[in-house]
Amino acid sequence: MSKVDRRILKTQEALKKAVIELMSEKNFDDITIQDLSDRANVSRGTIYLHYLDKFDLLDKLIEEHIDELRKLCESACQLDFIEATLIFCEYFESHYSFFSLMLASKGAPYFRNRFLNFLIEEFRKEVDVTGGKNHGINEELIVRFVASAYVGVVEWWFMNEKPFPQDVLARQLGALLERNV
């Protein structure tokens, strides 16, 4: 694995932080490259060294978080749903600015779809319709039901500015998953 120059990482982090801050102030469509340049304290040309445009910057930021969630799933695959959801909710809490913008505002509907598709992919690995309480239920139906419910609850939590701590959310959401998957 090649080592990335710290200056490149610092610039990319500044740009990611800038886009999140700017999205909290105005609609993504209204954000200009100059806005990003000013906020991140880099030249316009520097932005284009790292990203094709502001959409590419946002896409890469979204992919970075989805990839991190995927890694969390891999590391939590042997845990029960409550323990795994605790790990996820800690990640949501530690990246509150990003997730609250992506889920609680009109900021990026693309993220919600990516998040939902990611969860569908992950829950597909967990659902068993060959026996027990899910016997006879269409696998696609239950996977989409559980993934949509998960996104909806997490979205509600962010839209309501965390009405209770993330560990409470995690334990209760995990318990619901235990009952239904």
Side-chain angles (χ1 to χ4, degrees):
M1 180 179 211
S2 64
K3 189 173 179 181
V4 178
D5 188 313
R6 288 187 309 188
R7 293 171 295 180
I8 291 172
L9 291 175
K10 187 176 177 183
T11 299
Q12 289 174 342
E13 287 305 312
L15 288 166
K16 291 172 193 172
K17 182 180 177 196
V19 75
I20 290 171
E21 288 174 358
L22 288 165
M23 285 178 67
S24 72
E25 298 168 13
K26 56 183 168 179
N27 190 316
F28 181 74
D29 291 337
D30 297 330
I31 296 171
T32 65
I33 291 295
Q34 189 62 53
D35 292 334
L36 288 166
S37 170
D38 293 343
R39 185 64 59 103
N41 197 25
V42 298
S43 72
R44 290 171 48 93
T46 299
I47 294 172
Y48 292 113
L49 290 173
H50 301 278
Y51 305 101
L52 298 172
D53 53 25
K54 68 180 185 178
F55 299 100
D56 186 43
L57 168 58
L58 183 59
D59 285 347
K60 292 224 171 37
L61 182 58
I62 289 170
E63 281 308 308
E64 181 180 297
H65 282 287
I66 295 294
D67 287 344
E68 286 301 315
L69 291 171
R70 189 170 281 110
K71 288 176 190 171
L72 289 176
C73 275
E74 289 169 9
S75 68
C77 69
Q78 299 302 318
L79 302 175
D80 66 28
F81 281 118
I82 295 172
E83 292 168 327
T85 305
L86 278 165
I87 293 169
F88 261 59
C89 288
E90 286 173 15
Y91 186 80
F92 295 149
E93 177 70 30
S94 65
H95 296 89
Y96 179 79
S97 296
F98 173 79
F99 285 101
S100 65
L101 279 170
M102 295 297 117
L103 293 171
S105 73
K106 295 178 233 156
Y110 173 71
F111 173 77
R112 189 182 193 286
N113 290 333
R114 285 286 297 121
F115 186 43
L116 178 61
N117 288 332
F118 159 74
L119 289 172
I120 288 169
E121 181 183 311
E122 293 302 320
F123 283 126
R124 192 175 310 283
K125 299 171 192 173
E126 301 294 326
V127 169
D128 178 16
V129 293
T130 61
K133 62 186 170 242
N134 294 330
H135 180 71
I137 297 177
N138 179 282
E139 181 179 351
E140 188 66 21
L141 182 66
I142 194 163
V143 166
R144 288 189 175 275
F145 173 79
V146 171
S148 297
Y150 194 100
V151 170
V153 169
V154 171
E155 186 176 50
W156 169 85
W157 188 69
F158 280 107
M159 290 176 86
N160 288 283
E161 298 175 5
K162 304 184 303 186
F164 39 79
Q166 94 262 2
D167 63 315
V168 173
L169 171 70
R171 290 181 199 291
Q172 293 186 13
L173 186 53
L176 288 168
L177 289 171
E178 291 282 342
R179 290 180 190 171
N180 292 292
V181 175

